[in-house]
């Protein structure tokens, strides 16, 4: 059907109004609303473009006042940074925007989002982003695989209101999330959220370090603990004490407080509770359904909730994961300081002083049963068969099913000159890990190969499998070779 001359004229008028307005008033929010409204009223199909306001936790961008959709440009940079995990403890966090959790993103239902993901040139690893608010393959992950020093862009439309988690989904996915790659994106409903006095951003995460809780220094990631779901730390907003002392949340008596609560995981479910408060409203799982008068709400790994309450009396209110050892022994503890006039009818204050007796610190354990022994290969063919299983479980996500790797990120192991040149070096890479620049088949790679927690037998099997696939040299690697190399400190 042909567009009428009148319709074309109306559309042109709307575009002209919008563009003319931007020319004279790019920074005036009130003027922008007037311009956008005039353009929409005139029939323009061009949405006003807005640069997204992004904030670090515990801060939240301002509520959205506009009553029309917009094209919102979101620019999010990935950086790998060493930061404090606890007093005297540092950790190499992989971040969306330089901190854990990542930047808070606030958009409106019906908005069209132009999303830019930038991976800092100093990063060692490729990254992408899966936004649970996106309807599309991988939540955007399929379109945002971004090597260090690169930028990727994709568009999506915000179809469903709610509070959603975003996270990295690059292999190994669990490691990327465990290193802090998650955050929240709020899609406000068209009618907006009810007004409150204070809004805060709180996100839980579990961290897995080689050292025990409080062990000082720069702590490396521990895959064994992660696989067993035995975190060293469980914290709010990326570190022990991130919401205590001078960093505590604040409010005045009589104010309403809204907490946007997320759980990056990667493993644990949070039992979120504010000691001394009752949630007047909980938007369950970050959606549209509201529950009332709630004491503790479950927030699944990769999920969120919105809680609202009124601060009735002054005092310090403790935020916890009510799986309580996590709060008082692993770090999942924050503070809301409420100041203002007391109300003795609501809360009397102290009436009696009693002695508190701690329970002690003895660790109690049940005897462990022994795990069955792993199979041992008797022949080269048997070693190849067992090695295939090890490869599928541990190596395939990065190096791909045919050993082709991922260009600019993970080197190929098919027809690999690096592997075929030195078998002992290849054993050392698997046994000790590798960090730094290498050249494979004429191309440079500078990502991190984590140390794999494999037995000598498993390393011999997986390397024998690799060497007998995809045009490699066909040798058999033995457990004796692996033991000899493992006993030698890495030279890199």
């Amino acid at each position: 059907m042909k567009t009428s001359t009148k319709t074309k004229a109306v559309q042109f008028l709307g575009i002209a109004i919008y563009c003319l307005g931007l020319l004279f008033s790019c920074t005036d929010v009130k003027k922008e609303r007037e311009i956008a409204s005039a353009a929409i009223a005139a029939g323009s199909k061009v949405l006003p473009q807005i640069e997204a306001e992004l904030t670090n936790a515990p801060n939240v961008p301002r509520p959205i006042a506009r009553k029309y959709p917009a094209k919102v440009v979101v620019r999010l940079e990935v950086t790998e940074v060493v930061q404090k995990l606890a007093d005297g403890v540092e950790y190499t966090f992989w971040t969306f925007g330089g901190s854990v959790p990542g930047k808070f993103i606030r958009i409106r239902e019906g908005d069209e989002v132009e999303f830019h993901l930038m991976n800092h040139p100093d990063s060692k690893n490729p990254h992408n982003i899966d936004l649970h608010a996106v309807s599309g393959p991988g939540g955007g992950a399929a379109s945002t695989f971004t090597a260090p020093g690169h930028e990727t862009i994709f568009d999506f439309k915000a179809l469903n209101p709610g509070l959603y988690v975003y996270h990295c989904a690059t292999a190994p996915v669990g490691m990327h999330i465990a290193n802090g790659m998650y955050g929240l994106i709020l899609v406000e409903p068209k009618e907006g959220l009810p007004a409150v006095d204070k809004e805060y951003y709180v996100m839980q995460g579990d961290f897995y370090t080689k050292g025990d809780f409080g062990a000082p220094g720069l702590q490396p990631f521990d895959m064994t603990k992660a696989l067993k779901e035995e975190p060293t730390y469980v914290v709010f907003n990326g570190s022990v004490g991130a919401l205590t002392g001078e960093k505590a949340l604040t409010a005045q008596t009589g104010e309403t407080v809204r907490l946007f609560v997320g759980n990056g995981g990667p493993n644990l479910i949070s039992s979120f509770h504010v000691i001394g408060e009752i949630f007047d409203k909980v938007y369950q799982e970050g959606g549209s359904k509201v529950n009332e008068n709630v004491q503790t709400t479950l927030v699944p790994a990769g999920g969120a909730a919105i809680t609202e309450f009124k601060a009735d009396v002054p005092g310090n209110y403790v935020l916890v994961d009510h799986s309580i050892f996590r709060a008082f022994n692993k770090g999942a503890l924050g503070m809301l300081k409420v100041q203002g006039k007391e109300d003795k009818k609501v809360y009397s204050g102290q009436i009696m002083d009693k002695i508190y007796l701690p329970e002690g610190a003895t660790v109690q354990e049940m005897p462990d049963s022994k795990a069955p022994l792993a199979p041992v290969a008797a022949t080269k063919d048997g070693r190849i068969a067992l090695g295939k299983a090890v490869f599928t479980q541990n190596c395939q996500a990065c190096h791909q099913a045919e050993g082709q790797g991922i260009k600019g990120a993970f080197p190929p192991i098919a027809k690999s000159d690096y592997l075929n040149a030195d078998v002992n070096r290849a054993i050392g890479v698997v046994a000790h890990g590798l960090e730094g620049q290498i050249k494979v088949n004429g191309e440079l790679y500078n990502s991190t190969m984590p140390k794999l927690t494999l037995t000598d037998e498993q390393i011999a099997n997986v390397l024998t499998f690799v060497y007998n696939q995809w045009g490699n040299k066909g040798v058999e690697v033995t457990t004796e070779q692996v033991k000899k190399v493992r006993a030698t400190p890495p030279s890199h």
Side-chain angles (χ1 to χ4, degrees):
M1 182 181 294
K2 293 183 178 179
T3 305
S4 69
T5 303
K6 181 178 180 181
T7 300
K8 288 181 178 179
V10 170
Q11 291 177 353
F12 177 79
L13 177 60
I15 294 170
I17 292 171
Y18 176 60
C19 294
L20 185 62
L22 287 182
L23 180 63
F24 290 103
S25 183
C26 292
T27 59
D28 188 328
V29 175
K30 183 177 179 181
K31 182 66 68 176
E32 182 195 59
R33 290 181 196 159
E34 294 172 355
I35 294 164
S37 298
I40 293 168
S44 172
K45 293 185 178 180
V46 177
L47 296 179
Q49 182 167 308
I50 297 172
E51 197 79 17
E53 177 191 2
L54 307 180
T55 58
N56 290 327
N59 299 314
V60 178
R62 293 165 294 179
I64 295 173
R66 56 185 164 84
K67 302 302 180 183
Y68 51 85
K71 180 177 182 179
V72 181
V73 180
V74 177
R75 305 179 196 274
L76 195 58
E77 182 185 41
V78 174
T79 57
E80 300 171 5
V81 295
V82 175
Q83 292 181 348
K84 174 184 171 182
L85 178 56
D87 287 339
V89 183
E90 291 186 321
Y91 189 81
T92 302
F93 294 96
W94 298 352
T95 76
F96 288 110
S99 61
V100 178
K103 302 282 189 180
F104 195 102
I105 305 169
R106 191 168 198 159
I107 58 177
R108 178 185 182 274
E109 180 185 3
D111 282 349
E112 295 179 7
V113 180
E114 179 182 297
F115 199 99
H116 296 242
L117 186 68
M118 297 88 74
N119 193 354
H120 195 278
D122 291 343
S123 295
K124 299 292 186 182
N125 303 279
H127 300 285
N128 64 6
I129 191 166
D130 170 2
L131 301 113
H132 291 186
V134 171
S135 299
S143 304
T144 55
F145 186 84
T146 313
H150 287 251
E151 175 180 355
T152 56
I153 305 170
F154 81 107
D155 295 341
F156 72 92
K157 187 168 184 177
L159 300 177
N160 302 90
L163 181 64
Y164 299 96
V165 166
Y166 66 80
H167 61 86
C168 187
T170 299
V173 179
M175 181 185 292
H176 284 247
I177 297 175
N179 284 339
M181 298 200 75
Y182 46 75
L184 290 180
I185 176 170
L186 174 66
V187 182
E188 283 201 35
K190 293 178 180 178
E191 64 277 11
L193 291 172
V196 293
D197 297 301
K198 295 287 178 67
E199 292 184 327
Y200 292 112
Y201 173 18
V202 178
M203 197 160 191
Q204 182 170 317
D206 30 292
F207 290 87
Y208 303 82
T209 62
K210 288 286 186 182
D212 292 336
F213 183 91
L218 180 59
Q219 290 292 324
F221 169 74
D222 191 322
M223 178 63 89
T224 299
K225 287 183 180 179
L227 290 173
K228 291 181 178 180
E229 302 184 9
E230 297 175 352
T232 318
Y233 297 86
V234 185
V235 299
F236 295 136
N237 290 2
S239 66
V240 177
L243 293 175
T244 62
E246 294 181 354
K247 299 177 182 178
L249 309 180
T250 61
Q252 295 290 320
T253 54
E255 288 187 327
T256 49
V257 179
R258 175 180 291 139
L259 301 179
F260 296 105
V261 184
N263 183 9
N267 288 322
L268 303 185
I269 294 172
S270 175
S271 302
F272 186 73
H273 176 73
V274 178
I275 299 175
E277 272 295 349
I278 298 166
F279 301 136
D280 298 323
K281 293 181 179 180
V282 174
Y283 295 76
Q284 294 175 295
E285 298 181 350
S288 302
K289 186 175 181 180
V290 176
N291 200 357
E292 296 181 343
N293 303 320
V294 176
Q295 56 186 318
T296 301
T297 188
L298 286 175
V299 186
I306 304 173
T307 70
E308 297 175 1
F309 57 91
K310 181 182 177 183
D312 294 300
V313 295
N316 293 331
Y317 295 83
V318 182
L319 285 62
V320 297
D321 179 341
H322 215 296
S323 295
I324 209 69
F325 279 105
R326 300 175 188 171
F328 295 105
N329 299 82
K330 294 195 173 186
L333 184 148
M335 190 77 69
L336 171 67
K337 293 184 177 180
V338 177
Q339 295 181 324
K341 186 177 179 181
E342 293 186 354
D343 186 342
K344 297 293 186 180
K345 291 183 179 179
V346 175
Y347 183 73
S348 68
Q350 188 183 80
I351 296 174
M352 183 181 297
D353 182 5
K354 298 174 66 176
I355 296 174
Y356 167 70
L357 296 176
E359 298 176 15
T362 301
V363 176
Q364 303 176 25
E365 294 182 352
M366 297 296 291
D368 294 328
S369 58
K370 293 184 178 180
L373 297 174
V376 177
T379 65
K380 179 180 178 181
D381 288 341
R383 197 176 290 285
I384 292 171
L386 292 173
K388 182 178 181 180
V390 177
F391 178 85
T392 301
Q393 295 170 5
N394 297 277
C395 314
Q396 182 170 298
C398 296
H399 295 292
Q400 302 295 287
E402 300 300 326
Q404 70 269 32
I406 298 176
K407 189 174 179 63
F410 303 115
I413 53 176
K415 297 181 180 179
S416 168
D417 57 5
Y418 184 88
L419 288 180
N420 290 309
D422 190 339
V423 174
N424 285 336
R425 181 175 64 183
I427 295 172
V429 170
V430 179
H432 301 301
L434 177 66
E435 187 167 359
Q437 191 176 84
I438 61 172
K439 181 180 283 189
V440 181
N441 295 348
E443 292 192 25
L444 293 176
Y445 292 85
N446 193 24
S447 57
T448 301
M449 166 70 178
K451 178 182 177 181
L452 300 179
T453 308
L454 300 175
T455 65
D456 294 342
E457 178 75 5
Q458 288 173 318
I459 292 175
N461 292 343
V462 72
L463 284 174
T464 300
F465 168 76
V466 170
Y467 275 120
N468 286 271
Q469 307 295 319
W470 316 308
N472 289 322
K473 64 192 301 182
V475 298
E476 179 180 2
V477 179
T478 66
T479 54
E480 288 73 24
Q481 286 177 280
V482 176
K483 287 177 182 178
K484 186 176 179 180
V485 173
R486 196 195 286 275
T488 305
S491 58
H492 53 269

